[in-house]
Amino acid sequence: MIALGALCLYMWMALLTYDSADPGWTHTSNVQQVHNAAGRAGAWFADILFMAIGYFAYLFPLLLGVKAWQVFRARHQPWQWSGWLFSWRLIGLIFLVFAGSALAYIHFPASQSMPASAGGALGETLGVMAVDGLNVQGSTLLLISLFLFGLTVFTDLSWFKVMDITGKITLDLIELLQNAVTRWWDARSERKQMIAQLREVDEPVAPAKPKAAIAQERREPIMAKEPAPAARSPEIRLPESTAQPVSKPAASGDARKAPIITPLDTMPKPTEPSQRVQKEKQAPLFVDSAIEGTLPPISILDVAEKKQKQFSPESLEAMSRLLEVKLKEFGVEVIVESVHPGPVITRFEIQPAAGVKVSRISNLAKDLARSIAVISVRVVEVIPGKTTVGIEIPNEDRQIVRFSEVLSSPEYDDFKSPVTLALGHDIGGRPVITDLAKMPHLLVAGTTGSGKSVGVNAMILSILFKSQPEDARLIMIDPKMLELSIYEGIPHLLCPVVTDMKEAANALRWSVAEMERRYKLMAAMGVRNLAGFNRKVKDGIEAGTPLTDPLYRRQSMDDEAPLLKTLPTIVVVVDEFADMMMIVGKKVEELIARIAQKARAAGIHLILATQRPSVDVITGLIKANIPTRMAFQVSSKIDSRTILDQGGAEQLLGHGDMLYLPPGTGLPIRVHGAFVSDDEVHRVVEAWKLRGAPDYIEEILAGVEEGGPSGEGGSGEDGDNSEDDPLYDEAVRFVTESRRASISAVQRKLKIGYNRAARMIESMEMAGVVTSMSTNGSREVIAPSPVRD
């Protein structure tokens, strides 16, 4: 290939720089300096080729270039010599050269710089013979045929491929021209339509029609006559925070006002990023020694894509007309009053005719989705402050809500709570931010693949981007051992990520005990909640008189009570609590209920997630104490009613689409959950690992024995820790027979207090009847069962 390429370039230089004054084969010259770039040898070669075949000599470098390309394409194939193929290619070359030189002689005039005619000596000889026998026309036809035959044989050219390439280029050019004309025509039509709409707004309003005429028009089929555009165009409202003030034409009586179409082109640019994001851009990059005590920058998250305009007023108006027609086919007359386009769904607010119940429209959700060819349609029966009914239809192109654009919003920056949760965007594209401390507990449910685990990750990262470890601490329970184990090692954890369900029960028991301790501490301090306690502790430290622990019991006269510190908010995250309830049992439900009932003021909050929203998992006791719910896509209306007490979750789109039911209201908010990738979670975890190490509390997983809190006791509990208790023998007999070394079991069997039963179990441990308590809080019975007579 290199040799053929070099020879091709050399022949081009010799032919393109040919000078008749240079010495050659047809003449001599006495010049000292040769003008040909290929030297004397090049001048001789050029002179011979021009004399032999004339202008056709320029074809030889091209043929050499084609051969070099063919050699390059076949470089991976084994080289094989074929005498027959070489002879066939040689025949093609001979036909190509002979026919081409003869055609050049017949149809091109000779040049004075050429040593011979346009076809050279060979072309002149063959051309004269052809013209004498076949005349010019016949010679041309024959020679062109021979030329194409030789070209095909020598270069192995496929004429079908040539036709395909030619056709493709032609079609591409036609399509390009057609698109340019279409764009020009569309732009011209939009300008005309905008001018017409502006003229309609300036025109005076027609007098109102009587009520009877309006009622008659509503009873007529929608498509019976074409209504005026100004009277039927739906209003496309922008989000409240970005809507432009517009003036509506006045109307009198009961006549319908002409809704105004606000073009999407007039939507303002997105709001500026929050002050935190601006400060992070201006701040220098942190080094490892200077990041302690700082929050991770939001810039470590993936950047949100630029939002594209998806709809035009014309397309939304056409969809509104289609919606009216389809509902009319099902016997429901409605009028679309406004349209709210969003990043994932578009809400059409319809006004039903008089006497139409909203339940009829709700029952048509699946039929309506089928008739307009979408995956699902959700009917919003009640819109606060309006008499309309909402119909939410998914967009064809769904936009991804990135977690970074939610955290970069001023709304997230304005929240000061250490347990602020960034959920995503609402149907209008505005960020949805909430405070876990006001919920105060959250119940999350959704089927597999609905985005539930991604939503839980977004909540955890919201806390990690808002709070230092001294402000918020986490207890994570992960039965699946996959979703939350990634957070192992961050400084916010109170204990390692729990994967053993018995240890999970211990963690919940510790949370109950911590809740009781905090309540006693706040009662002794005279405050009502954790915020008041922390404020009083900080005021004492700033005043130089730090407060001491009022619950500390001195062991001697020299002991001093420790100083109080601020208490962090504790969030218990359970990724799949259905598995925990199956393994540990009913006790978990009681512990969750106790925390949910009382832990709000103590600053302990629950986030419970499950993919099985059935009544045996989400029991009535749990639902009664956790008013805040979040439902991702579920499989049936029964599951939706289990989690939300109403339908709607079965009509969600999945992939983060959720219904959020805030506390104190029965109307869910549709939220498009923010997407958090695994790489983003890894980056945040690594950023926090650089900022500190976790300070685990070992008692959380070691657990406390079942039963009431210490301090509850009955009569007869003030004896020494010995075997002198009159019920001790009966307790030993019960433990060895039942093989259960549980304080609560002894307490229930003998009807005694907790402390007395605990002392009996400790005496049995010292006597070798039972083992010491293991890490999960259980004991084994060593002594054999008593022999019965």
Side-chain angles (χ1 to χ4, degrees), residues 503-582:
E503 293 182 351
N506 292 337
L508 292 177
R509 292 190 189 97
W510 180 89
S511 301
V512 173
E514 176 67 12
M515 175 186 68
E516 298 288 349
R517 186 187 73 86
R518 290 189 176 192
Y519 268 111
K520 293 178 181 179
L521 191 60
M522 290 187 293
M525 296 292 294
V527 295
R528 299 184 59 184
N529 51 38
L530 183 66
F533 174 83
N534 289 336
R535 191 181 308 113
K536 197 166 186 178
V537 172
K538 289 180 180 179
D539 292 343
I541 296 175
E542 292 175 357
T545 57
L547 303 177
T548 58
D549 188 356
L551 303 180
Y552 181 74
R553 297 181 180 178
R554 297 182 179 182
Q555 302 295 330
S556 64
M557 296 298 295
D558 298 332
D559 289 346
E560 294 184 0
L563 299 178
L564 287 178
K565 298 181 180 179
T566 57
L567 296 176
T569 302
I570 297 176
V571 181
V572 181
V573 184
V574 185
D575 183 57
E576 184 53 73
F577 75 96
D579 186 66
M580 183 173 62
M581 291 186 66
M582 291 175 61

Side-chain angles (χ1 to χ4, degrees), residues 239-244 267-278 281 304-305 307 404-414 425 428-433:
E240 296 177 0
S241 60
T242 60
Q244 301 289 338
M267 290 184 68
K269 296 182 180 179
T271 56
E272 294 294 327
S274 62
Q275 296 181 359
R276 174 178 174 180
V277 176
Q278 295 177 357
K281 290 181 179 180
E305 294 87 355
K307 301 299 181 184
S404 58
E405 60 182 317
V406 183
L407 295 191
S408 301
S409 62
E411 290 83 354
Y412 178 78
D413 205 18
D414 293 340
H425 284 175
R430 295 184 295 270
V432 178
I433 315 295

